[in-house]
Amino acid sequence: MQLLVLKNIGIHGIHSQAQIAERLLIDAPAVSRLVDRLEEDGLVERRAGENRRCVRLEITDAGRREIQALELAARWVDAQAREFLAPPEVEVLSCLLEKLQTGLCQLLGGEPAAPPRKDDPPCGPPSSNNDNG
């Protein structure tokens, strides 16, 4: 969960604990504890906000390096997974994962999904053009 908070601050530019709580669907005290840990690890800093009640969260250089390491690891995992799937299978898997993520976001009360476009391909099985049968 700490990584999601770090990503929201560093990549999505969310600088308020309240906005992070809303986006991740967790309560404010939980976000505060997560930010405490990120601050202890030197990945995030709390800075003065617009008024005394407001705190602005900023990612540190160490936090940016952490995000870069995570993105590198994600690309490595993606490349490894693609070794086991044909390109059409990768497309179907991506489509299905996107569809699942959209549905779960709607279920959890997140941002409403955009309706499918008419030019979007269906998430059906890839056509088999091989002669292995």
Side-chain angles (χ1 to χ4, degrees):
M1 197 55 114
Q2 286 176 301
L3 297 176
L4 287 174
V5 173
L6 187 64
K7 182 178 175 183
N8 275 281
I9 297 166
I11 295 176
H12 300 297
I14 297 175
H15 300 286
S16 122
Q17 289 183 191
Q19 288 174 322
I20 291 172
E22 183 179 318
R23 185 175 179 107
L24 298 180
L25 302 173
I26 56 178
D27 62 17
V31 172
S32 184
R33 288 188 298 273
L34 290 165
V35 172
D36 285 344
R37 284 187 231 131
L38 290 169
E39 192 173 32
E40 287 170 14
D41 293 341
L43 304 174
V44 168
E45 292 178 348
R46 286 182 169 106
R47 299 207 175 135
E50 299 160 2
N51 58 47
R52 280 193 281 173
R53 296 183 324 145
C54 186
V55 173
R56 183 173 172 83
L57 302 173
E58 294 290 339
I59 191 165
T60 64
D61 288 340
R64 283 186 198 84
R65 287 191 298 273
E66 189 75 16
I67 287 176
Q68 288 173 343
L70 290 169
E71 289 174 340
L72 183 62
R75 284 194 297 272
W76 180 84
V77 168
D78 185 59
Q80 295 303 308
R82 289 172 186 269
E83 292 292 320
F84 300 101
L85 299 172
E89 292 171 322
V90 171
E91 289 178 32
V92 170
L93 178 60
S94 295
C95 183
L96 290 172
L97 289 172
E98 209 171 288
K99 191 173 187 178
L100 181 61
Q101 181 181 9
T102 298
L104 290 174
C105 284
Q106 286 178 332
L107 179 68
L108 295 173
E111 298 175 11
R117 297 185 318 237
K118 291 180 182 179
D119 59 338
D120 282 347
C123 292
S127 60
S128 57
N129 293 335
N130 59 13
D131 296 321
N132 293 342

